[in-house]
Amino acid sequence: MTLAGKTILMSGGSRGIGLAIALRAAADGANVAMLAKTDTPHPKLEGTVHTAADAIRAAGGKALAIVGDVRNDDDITGAVLKTQGEFGGIDIVINNASVIDLSRSADLAAKKYDLMQDVNVRGTFMLSRAAVPLLKDAPNPHILSLSPPLNITPKWLGAHTGYTLAKYGMTMATLGLAAEFADAGIAANTLWPRTTIATAAVQNLLGGDRVMAASRTADIYADAAYEVLTTPSRERTGQTLIVEDVLADAGVTDLSKYAAVPGTPDDRLFPDIFLD
């Protein structure tokens, strides 16, 4: 099974992990619609939804750049309708858009708390729900959210409570959708890495050059997502998947090619949050 001719609706995706997943799908000839706010270049971040669409086309896929906000219900409805109009349906929804703020509870601004809840949790639920009628008509429908397993140890519940709630909310919404629409054959899973991924968020928020050098590239996430999305939907659903475990199940055990700095041994890589 490949993603040739499949249509993906993704939140975000102008850069980083989302774009890497889109490019992996595009290599098969997939159609990728992206709902993102980055209409114009950001002074500190590379890429817009338009440059991402150009890269998808260059990689062999078809692209639809949709400028909008996953917090806005009209934008979500418009994205679903535009994707259907352009490509005839939706096979896959990828909940990639996410806001991160690792502030302690006393230091977390109320507006940032609300933003994380709106984008991470509400956005995941609303975008997925809006696409369900079209997913029901797809031969192998998938919802994939980039969020962690529900690790309720005090270490992670208390580390950055606002952000933890938002990411766990993404996961709970996804697992709920998996249960609710299992009879319709719609798979809904989450995917999270064991090590940090070299993205702008890691560069700017998690440790700068030191952590970037001890991370893996976004290609590892993209390859794992590809494995999930090409699995028959009734065979894998309602799971909180780990990137490295998905690849191991697919027979990929040598992960050295994914090191951001070639030659970095696995035991020198920086562990991602939420996993013990």
Side-chain angles (χ1 to χ4, degrees), residues 167-187:
K167 293 306 289 188
Y168 286 6
M170 288 181 71
T171 297
M172 293 184 70
T174 305
L175 295 179
L177 293 167
E180 187 173 355
F181 296 106
D183 290 345
I186 300 175

Side-chain angles (χ1 to χ4, degrees), residues 138-224:
N140 190 41
H142 281 266
I143 297 169
L144 183 65
S145 300
L146 308 190
S147 60
L150 300 175
N151 185 349
I152 58 170
T153 60
K155 173 182 178 181
W156 294 117
L157 286 178
H160 26 63
T161 303
Y163 179 62
T164 299
L165 282 170
K167 293 306 289 188
Y168 286 6
M170 288 181 71
T171 297
M172 293 184 70
T174 305
L175 295 179
L177 293 167
E180 187 173 355
F181 296 106
D183 290 345
I186 300 175
N189 298 287
T190 70
L191 187 62
W192 195 252
R194 187 163 282 121
T195 73
T196 51
I197 304 297
T199 63
V202 168
Q203 175 73 52
N204 298 330
L205 300 173
L206 293 182
D209 293 341
R210 180 179 67 87
V211 177
M212 287 285 281
S215 298
R216 289 186 169 126
T217 67
D219 289 341
I220 191 172
Y221 221 136
D223 287 348

Side-chain angles (χ1 to χ4, degrees), residues 104-117:
R104 305 288 287 179
S105 295
D107 301 320
L108 180 62
K111 287 185 177 180
K112 185 57 76 71
Y113 175 90
D114 291 342
L115 179 62
M116 288 193 291
Q117 287 290 323

